[in-house]
Amino acid sequence: VQPPEKPLESEEWNRLRENFRLPEIFEEVMLNSMIRSNSPIDVAKSLLTHVAKRNGDVAYSVLVKYLTLCVQQGQVSEIRDVYDIMKVRFKILEIGAYNLFIKGLSNSDQWRMALTLLEEAKKIMIPSRTSYESCIKAASCHQEMKLAFELYHEMLAKDVVPTLDVLQSFFDFSRGMKDAELQKELFGILLYLRENQIYPHKTFMRSIKLWFESISGSKWRGHLTNIKDSGQCPVCNHQLEDSNLTEEEYNNLSERIIRDVIHGTDTFRKTSPQEFEAFQTFVENRLPFDIVIDGLNVSHIKPKKLHCENLLDAINCLAKDNVRLLVLGRKHMLMNSSNWKREIMKEMQTKADFFFAENISEDDAFLLYATLRSGKHCKFVTRDFLRDHKACLSDSLTRHLFRKWQRGHQIVLKTMFFSVFSQQPAFQYDCVVQTTGDTWHIPYKDVFEEKYSYQVPRKWLCIQQK
Amino acid sequence: MQSATLLLKKIVRSSVLPVAAQHGMKRDLFPLSRTLSLSLCVKQDNSCKPSEKLDLDAWKKVMKSGLQEEVSETVSEPQELSSLAAARETLEMWRLAGRLVPENVSDEQLKTFMECPSKSAKKKYLKYLYLKELYKKNDKRKMEEKRERRLEAQEQTSKTDETKKSPFLCLWASTMDKAYNWRAAQSMIFGQPLVFDMSYEKDMSVREVANTVKQLVQSEGCNRKAVDPFHIHFCNFKDDSLYHREFLKHYKEAWGKLLITVTEQCYTEVFPKDKLVYLTADSPKVMKTFDHDKIYIVGSMVDKSIKRGVSLARAKRLGLETAALPLDKYLLWNTGAKNLTLDQMMQILLTLKDTADWKKALEFVPKRKYCGFVAKPVSELKKTLDLVNTLKLGKRREEVQKQFAKNYPKK
């Protein structure tokens, strides 16, 4: 349906309605298309007038649609009118209408009313994050930073996750303000980014930089840079935090891996108690390893080569300087077959320790266990992202730990054209927002959206105090 | 024109707003009366200005004038809204806003709704109730139509009034039931056992248990009507478990008279271990033929969130033989998980038992899950699959190949 360009008389609306296929929903369809094509508000008004004259009442859904149109065009006085009407016409409003009111009013000089509406909405349900965001933006826009932060903390307390947009607005609006309390809150946001391993995007990073540079007296300077593989910042020569977990975190993680990933609800699902015990004694007797290899995963790197040759290449590539290797595989690898030649298997077994799991067991869980058990220096080799194992961990904190540990300890083998393998080494440094008090290092994304969770940004913002 | 509207607006505001404000404070007193007839004022509107220029804010006047009437009608019965009533109100508003919300909600459903942990869980539950209501309504309407047609037909036959004579006796449903029960009773003495493992209650949600029981009821029905039924065993069945309660809901007093064996014992206690075969889609072994001497076990589990290896773990723990249906060998798999519903399993096993014909048995796999039977060499079928997919889904060739490789891993 094409909405008309000018307000129509009742008769004209009637005619349109009768020509419509389903006259019962004519108004809703028409209003929807008005919202889509952003029609002038008078046209919608004339439709409502027509409806009111015909039925003596305007249905709630139609009013909400009209409200959507008003909000879209920022017609504040109309929004107020609709609110007055709805408030007396209906006993309570539903959360969708509240969201619209809040969104519509927060951009105007009536923004305080949006705050009271937010309070009202809380009585029914937890308001959406967009409602919180509009209120926070409205408050910080009017220099009421304290109020904005109150709302922000309330939001976090209710497990409503703020978008980067609202976090950015905090930095934008407090630029140039002198307030120790405010500074603390903003540092708090940066620490929130750190704890949740969130990376700001480019424009957000710019806001952070500008805010730092606007603090008078302390003379912060920001530089964009790339961090070297060694983890040293080229601007301030500061060494970034290394990717090792603390003793406590490390123990916590290995405990949780054994409990949640290997055992889970039923040990038999991934292995069997006998097999796991056998594996444990095997590992304990031969500790510690330097590199643990997922044999089956590595053996599929080059599809044109035999599986065992792939594995042999990988072992030869990694077995330098007396490192102790452990290769995990399954029993079927021992059967002489076209892909697994017995002689080559024998040769490999002289160079590395092998553990063969049952054919129906999951070897990845063993991989994690052996690596963690060998200690912090031990790395593992697989192309698998281990997402399903991460998903077995029950809380987000442990999942973050796992991610961090994985970044620091996973080696990925890549095939090149001529050389046998190239290693993509594990990260030496930890890729999170970090501070030493007089410096801040903030990794940021070039693009707005982060495509893969395993990818970490390589670009950094270095901020230091002169 | 504009100034006139403005003036009008002002008048309306000033006359109504005090009332509105006053009212806004005690809106809890307001009853649920939205469908008030306002025909009187509408008529007035129409009569006073039929030829005047368009008044864009007229609808506001109408809405507000309606409110004045309401206010005068109902300023009484002050009461605190209980949380239940408040939830009911919210639902009503959602319905008015055009969301998928059922018209009638029982108190019990309302409580379940309030106990939903998240917004999306609430929405899902409401949609479920809404669809349920819709289906019920449609069924009712169809029944009514059918009855009318029958009545019409009866009238016509009574007019023609022709006594029919048939050489056969009319077989009533109760007679059929007797025959079926006779067969089922025989199977309980001589029939091949088929075990349903009822130990998965902990792995399922309440909805999934309900679905499981529904599927079990259906499989029991198929079995009873078969020429040569299985002797069904429900093993690991705890009295007063969720399963039990759901069964009672379905069967009512017939539960006690079913011709099946229900036991708290495990199948390993009832049957010799070497004869048991656990059927599970995760099994690495593929079933080649149906063995009349073996006792097959089917896990009574509906697994909507694909928990891999739950039933395989159970078989592993007890050291039982496992088997999977040879779906890949006989069917060109298209989409969907390879775990089938319990009644489909039942149909397949019954057919296998009678005919030993895989093709006939696997007819019971849902048609949407496969493209065809493997009669020709796989490479030829692959071409057909490619064609079907590119025509139907517009999928790219590589994707299809990838899926093919997934379904038919190189050995």
Side-chain angles (χ1 to χ4, degrees):
Chain A
V1 222
Q2 199 63 37
E5 275 161 26
K6 282 197 192 91
L8 298 185
E9 292 280 353
S10 270
E11 295 85 60
E12 293 168 289
W13 278 121
N14 257 334
R15 219 171 305 134
L16 273 180
R17 185 170 185 262
E18 271 150 28
N19 290 337
F20 190 65
R21 208 150 28 90
L22 292 162
E24 307 90 63
I25 55 163
F26 170 73
E27 289 88 20
E28 298 195 14
V29 174
M30 182 52 89
L31 276 166
N32 274 342
S33 82
M34 282 182 194
I35 292 167
R36 219 172 309 124
S37 54
N38 208 6
S39 302
I41 203 158
D42 283 348
V43 183
K45 274 186 186 176
S46 80
L47 177 61
L48 285 195
T49 307
H50 160 69
V51 172
K53 278 185 184 166
R54 202 184 60 226
N55 303 335
D57 193 9
V58 182
Y60 184 80
S61 55
V62 175
L63 277 179
V64 171
K65 296 238 158 78
Y66 174 66
L67 179 63
T68 315
L69 190 66
C70 295
V71 170
Q72 195 171 305
Q73 301 182 359
Q75 305 271 3
V76 180
S77 70
E78 275 305 305
I79 295 172
R80 283 296 304 253
D81 279 357
V82 175
Y83 178 72
D84 289 341
I85 287 170
M86 277 200 178
K87 204 65 215 182
V88 286
R89 207 76 180 79
F90 304 100
K91 196 168 172 183
I92 56 165
L93 303 184
E94 46 93 44
I95 200 83
Y98 273 121
N99 286 344
L100 281 171
F101 282 127
I102 290 169
K103 195 175 167 205
L105 292 173
S106 61
N107 282 329
S108 68
D109 48 352
Q110 309 245 12
W111 62 279
R112 280 195 187 277
M113 186 165 164
L115 294 182
T116 47
L117 286 180
L118 186 72
E119 289 303 313
E120 264 180 58
K122 273 183 221 160
K123 285 178 202 157
I124 315 175
M125 239 188 201
I126 298 174
S128 70
R129 71 179 190 176
T130 45
S131 297
Y132 268 114
E133 277 174 28
S134 337
C135 286
I136 289 174
K137 275 190 186 166
S140 45
C141 186
H142 293 85
Q143 308 289 309
E144 297 251 8
M145 295 315 281
K146 211 173 161 194
L147 183 64
F149 274 108
E150 254 168 46
L151 284 172
Y152 168 68
H153 290 303
E154 188 184 305
M155 192 173 174
L156 292 184
K158 285 185 177 165
D159 276 339
V160 184
V161 182
T163 55
L164 291 186
D165 209 28
V166 83
L167 299 181
Q168 185 184 352
S169 79
F170 277 125
F171 284 94
D172 282 338
F173 287 118
S174 27
R175 200 176 301 157
M177 279 196 194
K178 272 185 237 161
D179 185 352
E181 197 65 21
L182 184 68
Q183 256 184 48
K184 228 164 113 192
E185 289 280 12
L186 288 170
F187 286 143
I189 292 180
L190 290 176
L191 291 179
Y192 173 81
L193 295 181
R194 174 190 168 88
E195 268 151 36
N196 293 288
Q197 302 192 12
I198 301 169
Y199 309 115
H201 48 79
K202 210 169 187 175
T203 47
F204 186 6
M205 177 275 299
R206 216 164 274 144
S207 299
I208 296 174
K209 183 167 177 272
L210 287 175
W211 175 74
F212 266 107
E213 285 167 351
S214 77
I215 302 174
S216 53
S218 48
K219 300 240 166 47
W220 291 92
R221 301 298 314 153
H223 296 279
L224 304 187
T225 175
N226 290 316
I227 301 285
K228 295 173 201 157
D229 278 342
S230 62
Q232 200 182 35
C233 172
V235 182
C236 60
N237 292 326
H238 173 70
Q239 183 69 33
L240 293 189
E241 283 175 40
D242 63 21
S243 57
N244 287 335
L245 307 184
T246 64
E247 205 62 44
E248 196 191 337
E249 285 173 335
Y250 195 84
N251 292 337
N252 196 0
L253 181 66
S254 19
E255 216 171 88
R256 294 295 296 275
I257 293 263
I258 294 175
R259 202 184 77 197
D260 291 347
V261 179
I262 298 178
H263 292 305
T265 51
D266 188 351
T267 315
F268 283 95
R269 274 176 75 173
K270 288 193 173 148
T271 165
S272 67
Q274 294 89 343
E275 191 184 25
F276 185 57
E277 212 168 284
F279 179 67
Q280 268 179 320
T281 45
F282 173 87
V283 172
E284 298 302 325
N285 289 338
R286 289 176 167 81
L287 277 176
F289 298 103
D290 298 310
I291 297 175
V292 184
I293 302 170
D294 184 349
L296 281 171
N297 186 294
V298 167
S299 69
H300 284 82
I301 285 188
K302 288 184 187 168
K304 280 185 186 154
K305 268 193 160 181
L306 291 186
H307 292 166
C308 56
E309 285 175 1
N310 271 330
L311 188 57
L312 182 65
D313 285 348
I315 288 173
N316 284 337
C317 166
L318 293 164
K320 286 168 198 153
D321 323 319
N322 282 334
V323 289
R324 285 177 51 80
L325 299 177
L326 168 65
V327 181
L328 293 168
R330 295 214 180 101
K331 288 213 166 126
H332 71 78
M333 290 157 74
L334 289 171
M335 310 280 280
N336 199 12
S337 65
S338 56
N339 257 322
W340 296 100
K341 298 273 182 247
R342 190 163 281 158
E343 312 83 68
I344 300 182
M345 287 303 288
K346 281 233 175 77
E347 191 192 334
M348 280 193 278
Q349 271 164 312
T350 60
K351 292 182 178 172
D353 280 310
F354 272 73
F355 183 84
F356 297 100
E358 290 295 329
N359 290 340
I360 51 172
S361 296
E362 286 203 21
D363 46 359
D364 286 355
F366 292 152
L367 177 85
L368 296 178
Y369 177 79
T371 316
L372 280 165
R373 195 67 197 81
S374 295
K376 284 178 180 175
H377 70 287
C378 183
K379 308 261 194 296
F380 63 96
V381 184
T382 177
R383 285 186 304 172
D384 199 305
F385 294 122
L386 306 174
R387 291 193 191 102
D388 44 344
H389 303 294
K390 193 183 72 154
C392 291
L393 298 167
S394 47
D395 63 314
S396 63
L397 196 76
T398 324
R399 268 182 243 158
H400 280 314
L401 278 185
F402 182 76
R403 205 23 110 225
K404 183 175 170 184
W405 175 76
Q406 188 189 356
R407 273 204 300 267
H409 292 83
Q410 181 166 16
I411 301 173
V412 178
L413 289 180
K414 278 188 186 162
T415 44
M416 305 298 267
F417 282 115
F418 298 110
S419 69
V420 190
F421 285 116
S422 84
Q423 290 179 36
Q424 183 184 315
F427 278 93
Q428 298 277 320
Y429 56 93
D430 192 18
C431 195
V432 285
V433 175
Q434 44 194 282
T435 179
T436 56
D438 56 352
T439 59
W440 280 88
H441 286 90
I442 299 167
Y444 68 93
K445 296 177 288 185
D446 235 346
V447 279
F448 191 70
E449 262 174 67
E450 185 180 24
K451 205 162 180 210
Y452 301 109
S453 63
Y454 61 86
Q455 285 180 335
V456 286
R458 309 305 290 265
K459 297 192 168 178
W460 289 71
L461 169 67
C462 160
I463 300 171
Q464 52 177 327
Q465 219 164 6
K466 282 262 164 71
Chain B
M1 162 66 199
Q2 233 185 2
S3 60
T5 333
L6 257 178
L7 192 71
L8 203 89
K9 224 177 177 178
K10 228 180 209 169
I11 294 166
V12 172
R13 265 263 175 96
S14 59
S15 63
V16 175
L17 271 186
V19 188
Q22 185 198 354
H23 197 75
M25 278 189 281
K26 345 177 184 169
R27 69 204 155 82
D28 280 356
L29 314 182
F30 229 53
L32 258 172
S33 52
R34 267 176 292 279
T35 48
L36 211 88
S37 150
L38 298 167
S39 52
L40 200 124
C41 70
V42 175
K43 263 179 208 157
Q44 276 177 351
D45 269 2
N46 283 344
S47 58
C48 67
K49 40 180 179 174
S51 59
E52 242 182 37
K53 263 222 113 187
L54 204 55
D55 176 12
L56 291 176
D57 284 332
W59 63 276
K60 290 182 191 169
K61 223 164 51 180
V62 171
M63 294 297 282
K64 283 172 182 172
S65 62
L67 119 95
Q68 269 176 326
E69 262 175 63
E70 276 182 57
V71 171
S72 57
E73 268 175 26
T74 55
V75 186
S76 57
E77 46 186 328
Q79 49 167 330
E80 263 305 294
L81 275 179
S82 68
S83 62
L84 218 60
R88 204 174 271 282
E89 284 286 313
T90 325
L91 287 195
E92 180 62 19
M93 289 317 287
W94 277 357
R95 210 170 67 78
L96 285 179
R99 295 211 203 174
L100 301 183
V101 175
E103 256 177 71
N104 305 307
V105 184
S106 72
D107 277 352
E108 203 175 315
Q109 286 168 339
L110 209 57
K111 259 181 210 144
T112 340
F113 164 74
M114 281 160 70
E115 278 157 18
C116 286
S118 66
K119 265 188 206 175
S120 61
K122 279 181 181 171
K123 263 187 215 165
K124 235 183 217 168
Y125 182 64
L126 284 179
K127 192 181 168 192
Y128 160 71
L129 289 181
Y130 170 81
L131 287 177
K132 210 166 119 182
E133 196 182 67
L134 200 74
Y135 291 141
K136 220 173 183 177
K137 261 188 211 159
N138 279 345
D139 281 351
K140 213 172 175 182
R141 204 196 58 221
K142 273 178 202 161
M143 288 272 277
E144 221 119 272
E145 280 171 12
K146 210 172 162 187
R147 211 185 56 188
E148 264 168 41
R149 254 179 291 150
R150 206 176 46 217
L151 281 178
E152 258 175 49
Q154 259 178 10
E155 261 173 45
Q156 276 184 353
T157 47
S158 62
K159 269 175 203 163
T160 50
D161 203 18
E162 193 182 291
T163 48
K164 270 187 272 176
K165 272 195 178 169
S166 161
F168 298 110
L169 215 68
C170 185
L171 265 184
W172 295 106
S174 59
T175 328
M176 291 301 287
D177 272 348
K178 260 181 210 157
Y180 289 145
N181 280 341
W182 175 246
R183 256 193 239 152
Q186 270 195 318
S187 84
M188 282 191 75
I189 307 168
F190 305 113
Q192 182 181 3
L194 178 71
V195 179
F196 283 98
D197 180 5
M198 313 291 273
S199 58
Y200 294 100
E201 200 173 296
K202 272 192 269 121
D203 298 299
M204 287 190 281
S205 67
V206 180
R207 273 278 279 290
E208 284 171 338
V209 173
N211 290 347
T212 309
V213 168
K214 221 175 192 173
Q215 290 179 11
L216 282 172
V217 170
Q218 269 184 37
S219 355
E220 194 270 330
C222 300
N223 185 52
R224 201 176 347 154
K225 292 192 176 92
V227 184
D228 181 18
F230 283 106
H231 176 194
I232 295 181
H233 284 73
F234 287 168
C235 288
N236 291 325
F237 189 92
K238 304 257 170 358
D239 267 343
D240 218 32
S241 57
L242 207 54
Y243 279 123
H244 191 189
R245 266 173 279 158
E246 284 290 329
F247 270 121
L248 286 180
K249 246 189 232 170
H250 273 280
Y251 279 117
K252 309 231 164 55
E253 56 273 18
W255 171 245
K257 294 180 209 155
L258 279 183
L259 292 171
I260 55 175
T261 305
V262 179
T263 169
E264 249 183 64
Q265 285 177 305
C266 186
Y267 28 85
T268 46
E269 298 164 38
V270 184
F271 302 105
K273 238 183 185 179
D274 55 323
K275 280 200 164 183
L276 292 170
V277 179
Y278 211 117
L279 294 177
T280 161
D282 295 318
S283 171
K285 275 188 207 132
V286 172
M287 198 167 153
K288 286 208 178 74
T289 50
F290 182 86
D291 193 337
H292 293 269
D293 292 328
K294 293 273 184 197
I295 295 150
Y296 290 99
I297 309 168
V298 180
S300 309
M301 179 183 183
V302 168
D303 180 13
K304 284 194 172 157
S305 55
I306 309 292
K307 300 182 197 84
R308 265 191 306 156
V310 175
S311 53
L312 185 66
R314 203 134 308 180
K316 242 172 147 187
R317 180 192 293 275
L318 297 168
L320 298 178
E321 203 184 314
T322 59
L325 292 182
L327 297 175
D328 282 337
K329 196 176 156 198
Y330 290 96
L331 300 175
L332 197 56
W333 203 258
N334 187 17
T335 54
K338 285 185 179 144
N339 46 2
L340 303 173
T341 63
L342 300 174
D343 51 308
Q344 284 159 12
M345 274 312 272
M346 189 63 157
Q347 296 269 30
I348 289 171
L349 289 175
L350 279 172
T351 322
L352 278 180
K353 190 176 167 207
D354 286 346
T355 62
D357 183 352
W358 279 106
K359 199 177 166 195
K360 226 176 185 177
L362 294 181
E363 290 276 341
F364 290 102
V365 176
K367 295 277 180 294
R368 70 192 139 85
K369 287 196 176 183
Y370 64 94
C371 297
F373 279 90
V374 181
K376 298 174 250 176
V378 173
S379 60
E380 248 176 75
L381 279 166
K382 192 178 150 192
K383 274 181 212 156
T384 336
L385 178 71
D386 266 358
L387 196 69
V388 167
N389 273 327
T390 38
L391 287 179
K392 201 168 69 181
L393 307 165
K395 267 190 195 171
R396 288 203 320 276
R397 214 185 138 76
E398 308 94 73
E399 272 174 51
V400 176
Q401 271 172 348
K402 226 184 263 169
Q403 201 191 346
F404 186 84
K406 206 176 74 193
N407 286 341
Y408 297 92
K410 274 181 210 160
K411 286 279 146 66

